[in-house]
Every structure is written in structure tokens, then in C-alpha cells.
Amino acid sequence: TNLPRQIIFGPTNIGKKKVLVGRNYLKKMSPKINVFSEPVQANSENLPEWISSADIVLECSDTFQTKQLVNKLCVQLHRPLVVAAAIQWSGQLQVVDPRLIQSACFACTFDPLEKVDDAACGAYGIFAPVVGTVGVLQASEALKILAGIEANVSKLLLFNGLKLEFNSIKVKKRKDCPVCNNNLN
């Protein structure tokens, strides 16, 4: 059901694991790159090792709990994180860089104790170009960080694909944040 918003998958990939198809696609595009793929659900057991081996993390999951877990681990392991989400006509993006003392984390923006309805994307639908727009912005911020260029930390970027509007909200590091309030490095 999500093929229209996935540019590296097509009808011939139906029934195959996305992570394996994606790896093969990327290897065909750039045979010399190293692509690590693991066809298992990300969780508190496997994420620490994956995140510690990464230079940067791009969070693209569908669940609030996974986003919060990835944020927590990135803060603990001092890994830059670019979080993206999309639903219906709306997209959002936040850059978290725990290496910067004043950088707000995802939990500063969205309280991890908040009850959130993690309904599947299919329950609400997603306008495919919103995913593409947010994905391009996520890649842009990640590449800037990797190149040593200042990224847009401590902002929540909101995209409205129906009205073609961008808004941003400045996010301050919360003194009572349960994730990053002790992150002084």
C-alpha cells in the first residue's frame, strides 16, 4: 500500500523485505558503498549497537515509541539525529545534535510520557509528495552535518503539503527533559 511514496521500490518487490530490496538498490547505485541491513524490528536490544556504529542517524519509523527510543539512544551515545515524520498532508522534521550543549532533543519537543495513538499510516493516509519533501529535507540536514556545516538544530519544521506552507517552531532544551537534561557533553 505504500509503494506510491517509496521511490526505491516497485510492484516487482511486493512480498519482499524492504530492507533487503533497499540494500540491493543502493548497492546497484553505488557498488562501493557499505550497506548494513538487518531484516528485524528495531528495538532496545539491537538499536544501541547500530547507533553507536553510525556517524549520524536518520529516524524514519512509523511509531512514537521508536522515535523516542532512537532519540534517547542518540543522546546517550552523542550521535546526531534527524527525525522525520509524515501523515496525511503534514510533515515534520527536527535535527537533534547532542554534541551541542544547548540542542533540544526530540523528548524536549514531544514528551515521551505522552499517550499517542500510533495508528498505522494506512489508517489516515499520506500524500506521497509530503514524504518526498520531508525526506529530501532530512537528507539535506544529514549531509550538512556530515560535511561539518551547521544544521538547523532546536527547531521543529512543519510542512503543510495541502497549503504548500512551511512553519518552524523554536524548541528550547527543557530543564526537566527526562532524556537530555543531564547531557552536558
Side-chain angles (χ1 to χ4, degrees):
T1 61
N2 60 8
L3 287 178
R5 62 181 182 270
Q6 307 286 335
I7 62 169
I8 64 174
F9 306 106
T12 60
N13 303 125
I14 293 173
K16 299 176 183 173
K17 294 197 179 287
K18 284 185 193 176
V19 68
L20 300 177
V21 173
R23 178 192 63 207
N24 293 339
Y25 181 86
L26 293 171
K27 291 291 284 180
K28 281 182 188 174
M29 284 180 55
S30 300
K32 293 183 180 184
I33 65 169
N34 234 349
V35 179
F36 168 78
S37 61
E38 189 72 36
V40 298
Q41 187 169 357
N43 58 43
S44 59
E45 299 293 318
N46 52 32
L47 279 171
E49 182 182 341
W50 297 346
I51 290 171
S52 66
S53 67
D55 294 321
I56 189 166
V57 176
L58 281 71
E59 206 294 327
C60 312
S61 74
D62 292 338
T63 69
F64 184 71
Q65 288 79 16
T66 302
K67 288 182 184 309
Q68 290 290 355
L69 176 59
V70 169
N71 174 70
K72 180 180 177 181
L73 292 168
C74 284
V75 168
Q76 289 173 354
L77 297 167
H78 303 285
R79 292 298 186 270
L81 166 67
V82 187
V83 184
I87 193 80
Q88 294 178 322
W89 293 93
S90 301
Q92 59 185 237
L93 180 79
Q94 182 177 357
V95 178
V96 175
D97 194 341
R99 302 169 304 175
L100 305 174
I101 294 172
Q102 294 303 316
S103 175
C105 78
F106 186 74
C108 290
T109 309
F110 299 100
D111 187 340
L113 301 177
E114 182 180 335
K115 296 287 181 201
V116 174
D117 179 20
D118 265 341
C121 298
Y124 300 104
I126 300 176
F127 186 56
V130 170
V131 175
T133 301
V134 174
V136 166
L137 294 170
Q138 185 180 33
S140 175
E141 292 303 297
L143 290 169
K144 285 175 13 185
I145 290 170
L146 291 172
I149 299 168
E150 186 176 332
N152 291 292
V153 297
S154 297
K155 288 182 187 176
L156 178 64
L157 179 70
L158 304 170
F159 173 62
N160 181 325
L162 185 59
K163 295 183 180 181
L164 195 59
E165 293 178 345
F166 285 94
N167 292 296
S168 68
I169 300 169
K170 185 161 179 59
V171 181
K172 291 187 176 186
K173 187 173 184 132
R174 284 182 23 210
K175 291 180 179 162
D176 65 339
C177 178
V179 174
C180 72
N181 66 351
N182 292 323
N183 183 36
L184 302 175
N185 248 358

